[in-house]
Amino acid sequence: MKEPLFTAAGEALPALPWPDYPRPRLRRESFLNLNGRWQFAVNQSGEAPAAYDRDILVPFCPESSLSGIGEHFAEGSFLFYRRVFSLPDGFNAGRVLLHADGADQTLDCFLNGRRLGSHTGGYEAAEFELTGALLPGENELVLRITDDLRSHVQPYGKQVERPGGMWYTPVSGLWQTVWLESVPQTYIRRADFACTLDEAVLDVGDERLFGTVTVADPDGAFTAPLEKGRAVLRPEKPRRWSPEAPFLYPVVIQAGADRVESYFALRTLEVKTAGGHARLCLNGAPCFFHGVLDQGYWSDGIFTPASPAAYDEDILAMKALGFNTLRKHIKVEPPLFYYACDRLGMAVFQDMVNNGDYNYRRDTVLPNLGFQTRRGDEKMHPDPETRAAFLAGMETTVAALKSHPCVVYWTIFNEGWGQFCSTAAYRKLRSLDASRFIDSTSGWFRCGETDVDSRHVYFGPWNLKAGEKPLVLTEFGGLTLPVEGRLQCPGRSYGYGACKSAEELERRVLALYEKRVLPLVEQGLCAAIYTQLSDVEEEVNGLLTADRKVCKLKADPMRALAERLAEAANASCREPSAPAR
């Protein structure tokens, strides 16, 4: 029996990590979790290895300490994962599907020596049907994964070969749950909800499906017909979703031999004018989105926390400080993250994952010095393969997340990284989702259609002024405070202003909001995203340490600040009084 692995906090990992059902929005009774120890091998040829010389703990990437490997292999290496499984009696209902919810970057699936298919996309779920290759009793499953950061074609986010500053350790291989489910021959492929304040329209993705949808409404459960794959659900006394009151309606969908559980929430998003300024409105009323940048990195698991409970802990830690929003930065998380935000009440500004090249001088230095204006971006990042890969990733991200009520805002391009034809990208995204706010160019290089005026300010003057579009401050702050004993990279510190004590950090954070942000709120600012939720490697500008064991700020002053921001936002929305006659 293998010795257990331990988290950064010294807690032993279970033999079956991440045992939770991985897809809360489409839950079936059939579920076989394949996380745990797999045999592991690496080579450069891609040919099946002669032997598997080590073990790895799935779902943690090999670069992480939680995997038991702790090593990044040469770019272009082939990672082989092998395990044997047997299906429980009665498991097979007609078809057996394998899900690998995150594998960076290209995954090939082999069952009993037979290749079943391939999937490319490090931030997307892969699915393979195993049915025709299954044997009675034991089955050998092999997953071959390759990743190559030397090519910038596929979305890669903040991964770099040589991490430092705001660029982080690369990941490869499996980094989310691997699992099996069984479905009938005709089955419910998705549960997409288009919602208003009064009703939800369900689409299960197959016009051949008829059945019923039962809603567990506390004001009176009800059942609606599912006809041609669609159902209209109208609660008698509609309850709305918001960060303050995150109400979810559980549902059971029955179609033929298939039965799944899901949920929806009633809420709307729109831009309205109030107090003379364009506003981001939730459920018909202006809402100030008070948030933090969330990179989604952990000191021991890198892309993957030791347990999904870590998502709850991060969300609740930020809510305790008065925040109501997370900007999920350049990463798409497992579904359990968004489920946690849905049920706990945390709005999410979701970034698309960048690809293309990055240039420090062009994309960071000059814009921070004020050289941010471009006449157009049609010629930026012109490679057609890279453009196609980005748009495909954007489409997959929207399909995966569009029914999560917590997701209120899409960011297409961040600070010019991989940016091209932002107007065309905006229009494509709008065709995929007509219900959310779209930030085409977060930070700078603003030259196309967008729903918001999105700015980043770390240095220099705060030349921000509300105009025709809602003004959003999507990055600022980043003050650093290294905490002894909690550093991933001792002796190296990256951020946007150094503090020597928790008292200094608190004083400077509050002063930044009071002197810079509050006056802008009074003038129409709709959102402010502070950098950032946690330390990440050399970046020690988090409100939490990288291991999440220390919060650098006290809750009471931050909650009082949040109340002041909300009061200022509400006051600025009031229509100006008519002049006296």
Side-chain angles (χ1 to χ4, degrees), residues 479-493:
L479 297 168
T480 66
L481 177 64
V483 177
E484 194 66 31
R486 305 289 177 183
L487 301 175
Q488 289 183 269
C489 303
R492 289 179 284 168
S493 177

Side-chain angles (χ1 to χ4, degrees), residues 362-363 371-382 387 413 416 418-425 440-441 444-449:
R362 177 196 67 201
D363 296 331
F371 300 97
Q372 302 182 16
T373 302
R374 292 188 66 94
R375 294 177 181 174
D377 53 12
E378 290 79 9
K379 295 182 179 180
M380 293 175 68
H381 301 96
R387 289 182 172 193
F413 298 114
Q419 182 175 330
F420 67 94
C421 302
S422 54
T423 291
S440 300
T441 52
W444 38 75
F445 300 145
R446 298 178 297 277
C447 51
E449 289 185 27

Side-chain angles (χ1 to χ4, degrees), residues 340-362:
C341 292
D342 287 343
R343 59 185 168 77
L344 295 176
M346 182 63 79
V348 174
F349 286 16
Q350 176 65 49
D351 291 7
M352 302 302 165
V353 182
N354 60 285
N355 62 352
D357 67 302
Y358 166 78
N359 181 282
Y360 177 65
R361 181 175 180 273
R362 177 196 67 201

Side-chain angles (χ1 to χ4, degrees), residues 4-53:
L5 296 167
F6 291 86
T7 69
E11 299 164 347
L13 285 172
L16 178 63
W18 281 64
D20 312 60
Y21 194 93
R23 192 186 57 197
R25 289 202 53 263
L26 195 65
R27 180 189 294 267
R28 287 189 175 87
E29 289 186 1
S30 64
F31 172 49
L32 182 60
N33 193 321
L34 298 183
N35 289 344
R37 291 191 184 271
W38 290 54
Q39 294 177 300
F40 184 74
V42 180
N43 66 35
Q44 304 303 310
S45 68
E47 299 295 326
Y52 288 82
D53 56 356

Side-chain angles (χ1 to χ4, degrees), residues 543-564:
L543 301 181
L544 304 175
T545 52
D547 61 4
R548 286 14 183 223
K549 289 302 178 183
V550 175
C551 182
K552 303 177 188 179
L553 294 176
K554 290 181 287 193
D556 288 348
M558 292 301 294
R559 283 199 299 266
L561 169 66
E563 292 174 3
R564 291 180 63 189

